[in-house]
Amino acid sequence: MSDALQNDISTSIINERDAVRENERRERFEAISVRLVQIAIATSFFGLWEWGTRTGHISTFLFGSPSQVWELAAARLQNGSLLYGAYLTGLETIIGFLLGSILGTALGLGLWYSRFVARVMSVFILALGSVPVLALGPLIIIWFGVGIESKIILATVSCVIVALLQAYEGAQQVDKDLIKLLKSFGATKFQIFTKVVIPSSYGWVVAAAKLNVGFALIGAVIGEYISSEAGLGNIILIAGANYNIPLVLLGVFSLMVLAFALSLAVGVLERTLLKWKVSGNR
């Protein structure tokens, strides 16, 4: 190999390495910029809100104030009522999310086995999916009681249809030519299902999981609204009935924090599954 060619290759490698580093620096700068802008927007919002309530431009009776919400949060964190409510709602959401996602995904992928069964069940799946979970709430409370079980069932029902439809759609998007090729080599239906259908549906299942975090939380809160003795939904319900706006806002902000934490957990799960998928394809 000539010296000129070696120099060209070395220069190309160096340029490519510099380009990668530049892209990494640009991505880090953009991420930091986005975070700073988000912090600035939130700070401005709460600052203007507090300023408006202190100057009388905003009614504290109707809108509360950040300082009132903060004082309530400190008091309820100290006596443990806020943490217990968040724990209870979070537990209901997580169990319902897991049950609904696993059950819905299993059913959706299972329908791939039989096109006839899938066509028969489609009308019933759509009918169940069109019923708002709020309409099922009173029935589920009557059937399963006012304890945590009914909230878990509501959270599960809120998730199962989305997970089912997404998993089934993902299974249907598998390359038909690849399935025919595997069949020609003597692969069984179970082998095709485990080696091709399930891995190919990964993206659809993860997308359903991201959606179901919010749906599970909604189902749990609806159950707490209908009948409960604790939980963030119960806090908001009682506070609203007593016109305690700061406490209502505290409950709402707590739900937002809980939803954000659960979304982060799903993101970690997604990256873990991605590593598993990549290592499984090696």
Side-chain angles (χ1 to χ4, degrees):
M1 184 181 294
S2 65
D3 293 338
L5 181 58
Q6 288 181 345
N7 291 333
D8 290 340
I9 293 175
S10 299
T11 303
S12 176
I13 293 174
I14 293 173
N15 291 336
E16 183 178 354
R17 190 177 300 163
D18 291 340
V20 171
R21 290 175 179 173
E22 180 63 26
N23 288 333
E24 290 177 350
R25 285 195 294 268
R26 189 181 298 111
E27 289 178 358
R28 285 197 297 269
F29 176 77
E30 184 178 350
I32 294 173
S33 300
V34 168
R35 192 67 64 198
L36 290 175
V37 172
Q38 290 173 338
I39 294 173
I41 292 174
T43 303
S44 300
F45 172 76
F46 287 110
L48 289 172
W49 182 9
E50 182 68 24
W51 173 83
T53 57
R54 289 182 182 272
T55 57
H57 291 85
I58 298 176
S59 171
T60 55
F61 176 76
L62 293 177
F63 299 99
S65 69
S67 58
Q68 290 177 330
V69 175
W70 180 258
E71 290 172 2
L72 271 175
R76 287 188 170 255
L77 284 172
Q78 187 174 7
N79 63 28
S81 60
L82 183 60
L83 289 177
Y84 178 71
Y87 161 76
L88 195 61
T89 303
L91 182 63
E92 296 162 355
T93 302
I94 291 172
I95 297 177
F97 166 77
L98 292 175
L99 290 177
S101 297
I102 293 172
L103 180 61
T105 300
L107 291 174
L109 293 176
L111 289 176
W112 175 85
Y113 265 92
S114 174
R115 183 181 177 184
F116 177 77
V117 173
R119 293 182 65 181
V120 169
M121 297 302 298
S122 62
V123 64
F124 302 106
I125 293 171
L126 292 175
L128 182 60
S130 64
V131 178
V133 67
L134 180 61
L136 298 175
L139 289 176
I140 292 177
I141 295 295
I142 292 172
W143 292 339
F144 295 94
V146 297
I148 190 175
E149 295 83 2
S150 57
K151 285 71 175 178
I152 292 174
I153 296 297
L154 278 169
T156 301
V157 172
S158 300
C159 297
V160 69
I161 297 299
V162 174
L164 189 155
L165 293 176
Q166 285 286 100
Y168 178 69
E169 186 64 27
Q172 295 303 307
Q173 296 298 322
V174 177
D175 190 350
K176 302 297 189 297
D177 294 332
L178 177 59
I179 293 178
K180 291 179 181 178
L181 178 63
L182 292 173
K183 287 182 177 179
S184 67
F185 281 105
T188 64
K189 199 168 188 177
F190 181 76
Q191 289 174 327
I192 295 173
F193 180 71
T194 55
K195 301 296 184 181
V196 177
V197 175
I198 292 179
S200 298
S201 304
Y202 162 79
W204 295 82
V205 172
V206 171
K210 291 180 178 179
L211 291 172
N212 277 335
V213 168
F215 289 136
L217 185 58
I218 291 172
V221 172
I222 286 175
E224 292 174 351
Y225 260 62
I226 295 173
S227 178
S228 66
E229 296 180 353
L232 295 179
N234 177 264
I235 291 175
I236 295 173
L237 179 64
I238 295 177
N242 293 321
Y243 299 97
N244 190 342
I245 302 302
L247 186 54
V248 171
L249 292 172
L250 175 60
V252 172
F253 290 144
S254 299
L255 286 175
M256 293 170 62
V257 172
L258 180 59
F260 182 73
L262 293 175
S263 297
L264 288 179
V266 171
V268 172
L269 179 62
E270 177 185 6
R271 289 190 291 272
T272 302
L273 291 176
L274 180 60
K275 291 180 181 179
W276 166 79
K277 182 183 178 183
V278 171
S279 62
N281 290 334
R282 290 176 181 175

